[in-house]
């Protein structure tokens, strides 16, 4: 294959500049052999959107390096939709031939043809004139039919060849595409990218394919989008942020077979049923939401499921027993359900008081913070009262932390805020 002359790059660059003046808002893609190439600001913009490299190259007539980005021609069907979804206006351009070069090639071709014609004429002069063919009216119609049949066969062969070529190109592309990451379960993540919403340009979404299956797009946080566009955040990091349960190790399938026993306050508790359903009762405040349902003996319970817990269940990275403990642990008076509650630093156990309020005869919890004041008295639920007094799986400090942490934090911060305000006024 002949090497491309530097003048060709210079000529193409002039075409780029001329077209850019006419269409300043368009991204120009030039076909160069087996590649599509972009220059200058188009190359920088395409590199960010497509995640490809923009290389520096010195071209004839230029004093400084120029940004150039390119991709294989068979990847156009993949990259062009990405550019359009990102809001880019794209124009695909072909190189215009240099008039001087074209004239030179034409003269050379003409001379060559004249020499060939002279040789051919001399050869034909030596040959005898062929006898005139006898016209056969009977065979004229079959000859036309044969011509039509040959034309149809040629057309069919062309279509078949085009399909085979497209299939081979797609096969080569699949071989060339390396996974952007591999999960703990050995699943390959490909096609991870961010794209802009067509209906609302302010919204961007992240999506990817896992073992060839498209994941549901997730709306991106503005900070994550900016970091990704600056290449400060990678696809594996975005997967960890928006599809965490897809990356976690799966638990054994045996764990999903019921019934299952979990440790309770007075012995094992048996989970007989566990599933997910969508609330269909329009009179309920949680109508239309997905909920977990659990049956433990004769007790039937339900609770609205978080998206993270739903994904953990369907992605098989959390067992029904674990989800029961997390979503129904307090109702089952499990000790593990209260371990997440902790009082803010600086609050001691002696400051917590749980007592029955004489005005309404209900059990309430409060915290005395000394010179910083006393919190309000907050009513505790029956389940929390049972866990505290009967099952003894919860402590007073944990009950106070569950109900009063926001109020305690606000009261502890209030005096500090006043001192800082007074100091600023003195300045």
């Amino acid at each position: 294959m002949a090497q491309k002359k530097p003048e060709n790059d210079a000529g193409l660059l002039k075409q780029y500049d001329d077209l850019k003046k006419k269409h300043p808002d368009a991204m120009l893609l030039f076909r160069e052999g087996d590649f599509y190439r972009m220059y200058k600001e188009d190359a920088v913009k395409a590199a960010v959107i497509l995640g490809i490299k923009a290389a520096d190259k010195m071209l004839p007539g230029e004093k400084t390096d120029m940004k150039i980005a390119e991709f294989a021609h068979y990847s156009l069907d993949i990259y062009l939709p990405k550019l359009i979804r990102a809001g880019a206006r794209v124009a695909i351009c072909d190189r215009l031939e240099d008039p001087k070069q074209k004239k030179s090639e034409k003269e050379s071709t003409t001379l060559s043809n004249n020499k060939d014609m002279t040789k051919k004429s001399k050869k034909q002069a030596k040959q005898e004139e062929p006898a005139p063919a006898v016209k056969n009216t009977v065979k004229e119609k079959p000859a036309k039919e044969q011509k039509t049949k040959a034309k149809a066969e040629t057309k069919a062969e062309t279509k078949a060849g085009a399909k085979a070529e497209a299939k081979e190109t797609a096969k080569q592309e699949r071989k060339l595409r390396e996974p952007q990451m591999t999960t703990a379960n050995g699943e390959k993540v490909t096609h991870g990218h961010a794209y802009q919403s067509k209906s609302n340009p302010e919204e961007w979404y992240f999506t990817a394919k896992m073992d060839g299956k498209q994941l549901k797009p997730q709306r991106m946080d503005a900070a994550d989008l900016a970091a990704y566009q600056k290449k400060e955040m990678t696809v594996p990091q975005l997967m960890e942020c928006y599809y965490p349960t897809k990356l976690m190790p799966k638990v054994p399938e045996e764990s999903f077979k019921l019934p299952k026993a979990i440790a309770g306050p007075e012995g094992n508790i048996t989970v007989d049923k566990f599933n997910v359903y969508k609330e269909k009762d329009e009179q309920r405040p949680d109508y239309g939401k997905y909920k977990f349902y659990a049956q433990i003996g004769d007790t039937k319970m339900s609770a609205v499921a978080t998206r993270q817990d739903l994904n953990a269940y369907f992605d098989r990275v959390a067992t029904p027993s674990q989800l029961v403990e997390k979503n129904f642990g307090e109702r089952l008076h499990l000790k593990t359900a209260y371990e997440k509650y902790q009082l803010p630093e600086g609050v001691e156990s002696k400051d917590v008081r749980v007592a029955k309020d004489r005005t309404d005869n209900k059990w309430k919890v409060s915290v005395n913070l000394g010179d910083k004041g006393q919190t309000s008295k907050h009513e505790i639920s029956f389940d929390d009262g049972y866990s505290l007094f009967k099952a003894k799986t919860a402590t007073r400090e944990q009950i106070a932390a569950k109900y009063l942490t926001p109020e305690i934090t606000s009261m502890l911060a209030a005096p500090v805020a006043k001192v800082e305000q007074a100091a600023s006024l003195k300045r």
Side-chain angles (χ1 to χ4, degrees), residues 167-184:
K167 188 175 181 181
E168 183 63 26
T169 301
K171 188 177 180 181
Q172 289 178 358
E173 183 184 346
R174 285 196 295 270
K175 288 182 179 178
L176 292 172
R177 183 181 290 278
E178 294 292 334
Q180 289 163 292
M181 71 173 298
T182 303
T183 69

Side-chain angles (χ1 to χ4, degrees), residues 263-269 332-335 386 391-393:
E266 299 175 354
N268 287 340
I269 296 175
L332 296 172
H333 318 297
L334 303 181
K335 187 176 182 179
Y386 188 95
K392 298 189 183 301
T393 51

Side-chain angles (χ1 to χ4, degrees), residues 119-380:
K119 291 179 180 179
K120 189 174 182 181
S121 299
K122 289 180 179 179
K123 288 182 179 180
Q124 286 179 349
K126 296 179 181 179
Q127 295 177 357
E128 296 181 359
E129 185 178 353
V134 180
K135 188 174 182 181
N136 191 342
T137 55
V138 179
K139 292 184 179 180
E140 185 177 355
K141 188 174 181 181
K144 288 183 179 180
E145 291 178 356
Q146 290 177 1
K147 186 176 180 181
T148 304
K149 184 178 180 182
K151 189 175 180 181
E153 289 176 353
T154 304
K155 190 174 181 181
E157 289 176 1
T158 304
K159 286 184 177 180
K163 287 182 179 179
E165 185 179 355
K167 188 175 181 181
E168 183 63 26
T169 301
K171 188 177 180 181
Q172 289 178 358
E173 183 184 346
R174 285 196 295 270
K175 288 182 179 178
L176 292 172
R177 183 181 290 278
E178 294 292 334
Q180 289 163 292
M181 71 173 298
T182 303
T183 69
N185 305 300
E187 296 165 313
K188 295 179 180 179
V189 177
T190 59
H191 299 79
H193 67 281
Y195 69 92
Q196 193 174 23
S197 170
K198 293 182 179 179
S199 57
N200 188 357
E202 294 181 359
E203 295 180 357
W204 282 73
Y205 291 83
F206 175 74
T207 186
K209 283 186 177 180
M210 182 175 288
D211 282 351
K213 295 181 180 179
Q214 187 73 48
L215 301 180
K216 184 178 180 181
Q218 301 294 320
R219 185 174 175 180
M220 295 185 71
D221 181 75
D224 292 342
L225 174 62
Y228 177 67
Q229 290 177 335
K230 293 178 183 177
K231 296 188 177 181
E232 296 173 356
M233 201 169 189
T234 63
V235 167
Q237 289 172 328
L238 289 173
M239 287 293 297
E240 184 70 36
C241 180
Y242 294 100
Y243 302 101
T245 57
K246 300 288 184 186
L247 309 182
M248 297 177 182
K250 296 183 184 296
V251 297
E253 196 63 31
E254 182 69 24
S255 304
F256 291 85
K257 295 181 180 180
L258 298 175
K260 290 290 181 184
I262 58 177
E266 299 175 354
N268 287 340
I269 296 175
T270 303
V271 180
D272 297 304
K273 289 184 180 180
F274 183 84
N275 57 39
V276 178
Y277 73 99
K278 191 174 184 179
E279 183 57 62
K280 297 181 180 180
D281 188 351
E282 297 182 5
Q283 305 301 319
R284 295 182 62 91
D286 52 10
Y287 166 72
K289 294 183 178 180
Y290 285 95
K291 302 170 73 174
F292 286 131
Y293 167 84
Q295 182 176 338
I296 297 162
D298 296 330
T299 306
K300 299 176 182 179
M301 300 176 290
S302 64
V304 175
T306 64
R307 186 176 68 176
Q308 184 178 0
D309 284 347
L310 282 172
N311 290 337
Y313 176 72
F314 289 116
D315 290 333
R316 291 299 196 254
V317 297
T319 66
S321 300
Q322 292 171 332
L323 293 171
V324 166
E325 288 189 51
K326 183 177 179 181
N327 290 272
F328 305 106
E330 294 177 18
R331 295 173 64 177
L332 296 172
H333 318 297
L334 303 181
K335 187 176 182 179
T336 54
Y338 292 94
E339 291 175 349
K340 59 186 175 183
Y341 300 118
Q342 292 184 353
L343 284 170
E345 189 176 352
V347 181
E348 299 181 7
S349 302
K350 62 181 180 61
D351 300 327
V352 179
R353 185 170 184 267
V354 179
K356 185 176 287 190
D357 193 333
R358 295 179 181 179
T359 58
D360 55 11
N361 207 32
K362 293 181 179 179
W363 287 95
K364 297 182 180 180
V365 60
S366 61
V367 177
N368 185 357
L369 299 176
D371 57 351
K372 296 173 185 177
Q374 184 170 336
T375 67
S376 60
K377 295 180 180 180
H378 203 294
E379 181 184 350
I380 65 176

